[in-house]
Amino acid sequence: MWSNEPRSLPDWVEQGYQILSVEIADADSEELARDRAGRELIAHREFTDELSDAEYAIEQLLNSGWLYEVDGKLRVTDPELEHDGG
C-alpha cells in the first residue's frame, strides 16, 4: 500500500544531503555537476571515502526528491525545506 509519508533515509545519506546542500548553495548558479558532487562527498571528512557510497547517496537523494538533476547538474528541490528524516 502506498503512503503519503516522506520516506526516511539512512542518517549517512541525510548527512550527504547536508554536505551537498551547502555546496550547492555556495555555488554561483546554485547547482553542482553530478560528478563534482560525488567528489565533494568523498572529500568531506564526515562522509565515507568510497565513491560507490557517494553515488548511492546521490541516487537516493534524487529518488526521494531531496535533489533533482537537470543536464547533469544537481539542485536542491526546496532550499527552504528542512528534511528531518521522519
Side-chain angles (χ1 to χ4, degrees):
M1 177 176 275
W2 292 101
S3 171
N4 288 335
E5 294 292 317
R7 292 190 308 177
S8 179
L9 295 172
D11 290 342
W12 68 276
V13 173
E14 289 187 26
Q15 179 66 32
Y17 172 78
Q18 295 301 322
I19 294 165
L20 291 177
S21 64
V22 168
E23 293 295 327
I24 291 168
D26 287 348
D28 291 336
S29 59
E30 294 189 0
E31 62 186 16
L32 194 62
R34 187 172 180 158
D35 59 337
R36 180 174 168 207
R39 290 192 309 269
E40 292 291 338
L41 284 177
I42 61 175
H44 198 278
R45 71 185 183 294
E46 294 182 24
F47 198 78
T48 179
D49 60 356
E50 295 291 326
L51 183 57
S52 61
D53 289 339
E55 291 171 349
Y56 177 83
I58 291 168
E59 199 62 40
Q60 292 303 304
L61 293 167
L62 288 166
N63 289 340
S64 298
W66 291 33
L67 299 176
Y68 68 102
E69 185 174 7
V70 175
D71 295 330
K73 297 189 177 169
L74 302 178
R75 299 177 186 174
V76 174
T77 300
D78 187 351
E80 301 300 316
L81 181 64
E82 182 172 326
H83 295 278
D84 62 12

